[in-house]
Amino acid sequence: MTDVPLSVLDLAPVARGATAGEALRHTTELARRTEELGYHRFWVAEHHNMPAIASSAPAVLLAHLAAHTSTIRLGSGGVMLPNHAPLVVAEQFGTLEALHPGRIDLGIGRAPGTDQVTALALRRTMAGLSAEGFPGELAELMNYFTGDDRGPITATPGLGQSPTIWLLGSSGFSAQLAGLLGLPFSFAHHFSAEHTVPALQRYRQSFRPSRWLQQPYAMVAVSVVCAETDERAEWLAGPSGLSFLRLRAGRPEPLGTPEEAAAYPYDEREREFVRQRRVGQATGSPETVRRQLGELLARTGADELMLTTMVYDVADRVRSFELVADVTAHLG
């Protein structure tokens, strides 16, 4: 499809008036269609206590998606390790890899992906919830797959059935850790655009070849809304900005309609917040998006782009990926 692989990050967005079941069926539909279009991988992200996002159980959802696709790589973007005991993650993703060998990615994040009260409800103890404990928990998780330091516990499935492990990040910490461990790295440009280039520089500078990877491999996740015209794309992108605004204010709600977003009485501070969320992302007609993605590649030198599209209607979501696939045949 393109010289630079394009992939998909989906949050199973729950639209206003819809159910979580409908959101998950739409994600399945999108996975099948993006596989047909030639996208390289399809990731889902772990979030909790968010009415607009139904991808709270990535391993369960990935098993379903794997059963409804055949070639596209599937993974977590990511599993938030502070929420889980490493052994549980190893067994879940070892099971996925055993069932679908060579198709599973395990993207790991060090943030809980939710508020602290919800994180505590997930983990049931404060142990492991701090960023300081992340490197040790990551080492424990990886050891369940490799068996380098065999102890009394064997992850089954898990040992000898390792998915491809990625580190995810939105700052320099995970970038440097990914480099030191010789792991592929995915940066969350879609919500931390100002830190993208410095984090990728840190990753490449700190990279050490490993059994996993001989050269650094960086993927950049970017928000994309593509439609037939710039004006329609801007219209479709409205609910995503409003959703982020409500989340920041502590009032998360299902994803609203474009009409609702257009009618919302933004004050100047809110308008600036939404505008800042859009900086460095790709919104517009196919040619506009092609140019914006090309500029992002030029700035970052990314080896792969992962596109995430939060719009109200699944037909518009699918259409956005179709248009991008059509127009980026020679991107990069």
Side-chain angles (χ1 to χ4, degrees):
M1 179 174 62
T2 173
D3 296 334
V4 175
L6 298 183
S7 294
V8 181
L9 172 64
D10 195 68
L11 306 184
V14 182
R16 190 177 302 285
T19 66
E22 289 171 316
L24 294 170
R25 286 191 289 275
H26 292 160
T27 288
T28 306
E29 175 186 340
L30 182 64
R32 286 195 294 249
R33 183 62 180 131
T34 52
E35 178 178 75
E36 293 171 351
L37 292 168
Y39 283 86
H40 184 50
R41 65 183 94 235
F42 190 101
W43 283 8
V44 296
E46 177 187 352
H47 293 281
H48 300 278
N49 196 26
M50 295 186 185
I53 297 175
S55 56
S56 57
V60 178
L61 180 52
L62 290 171
H64 176 77
L65 296 177
H68 288 79
T69 56
S70 58
T71 58
I72 196 168
R73 291 192 64 89
L74 298 164
S76 57
V79 162
M80 300 298 127
L81 191 55
N83 297 338
H84 310 285
L87 176 60
V88 172
V89 178
E91 290 176 338
Q92 289 176 344
F93 278 79
T95 298
L96 287 167
E97 178 66 21
L99 289 169
H100 307 281
R103 290 185 63 199
I104 304 301
D105 298 325
L106 172 53
I108 294 291
R110 73 181 180 104
T114 187
D115 60 88
Q116 285 296 309
V117 173
T118 306
L120 184 57
L122 287 161
R123 192 66 180 255
R124 302 184 70 183
T125 172
M126 292 302 294
L129 290 180
S130 69
E132 289 75 16
F134 178 74
E137 296 222 323
L138 177 62
E140 180 183 344
L141 170 62
M142 295 174 68
N143 186 63
Y144 283 126
F145 291 121
T146 63
D148 288 343
D149 184 14
R150 293 297 293 272
I153 300 172
T154 299
T156 308
L159 181 63
Q161 291 162 319
S162 178
T164 300
I165 298 174
W166 290 68
L167 279 194
L168 281 58
S170 57
S171 65
F173 179 90
S174 291
Q176 184 171 14
L177 184 58
L180 293 173
L181 295 176
L183 294 173
F185 177 62
S186 179
F187 189 83
H189 176 82
H190 58 305
F191 61 81
S192 188
E194 69 273 20
H195 297 124
T196 304
V197 171
L200 294 181
Q201 289 174 340
R202 180 173 292 190
Y203 168 61
R204 292 170 180 135
Q205 290 167 357
S206 62
F207 185 84
R208 299 175 181 173
S210 70
R211 72 172 78 181
W212 316 102
L213 203 61
Q214 289 301 300
Q215 299 290 334
Y217 192 93
M219 179 164 64
V220 171
V222 54
S223 176
V224 175
V225 178
C226 190
E228 280 73 8
T229 65
D230 289 347
E231 293 75 17
R232 177 155 179 80
E234 293 286 342
W235 169 259
L236 295 176
S240 177
L242 180 57
S243 180
F244 273 118
L245 181 64
R246 285 170 166 162
L247 180 63
R248 185 194 190 198
R251 297 181 287 105
E253 297 181 15
L255 193 65
T257 66
E259 291 81 4
E260 179 184 351
Y264 182 83
Y266 297 92
D267 61 30
E268 276 306 310
R269 179 184 57 81
E270 292 172 331
R271 287 189 185 281
E272 179 60 17
F273 173 79
V274 172
R275 189 192 71 79
Q276 286 294 329
R277 297 293 306 184
R278 299 274 294 279
V279 171
Q281 311 306 314
T283 304
S285 67
E287 284 304 323
T288 297
V289 167
R290 172 178 157 77
R291 173 179 54 78
Q292 292 168 333
L293 292 181
E295 291 170 352
L296 179 62
L297 280 174
R299 289 197 306 275
T300 63
D303 300 291
E304 185 171 340
L305 293 179
M306 177 162 273
L307 317 183
T308 184
T309 300
M310 287 282 280
V311 296
Y312 176 78
D313 192 285
V314 66
D316 292 318
R317 194 148 113 246
V318 171
R319 184 59 178 153
S320 180
F321 284 102
E322 291 174 341
L323 292 171
V324 172
D326 286 342
V327 81
T328 56
H330 304 292
L331 187 65

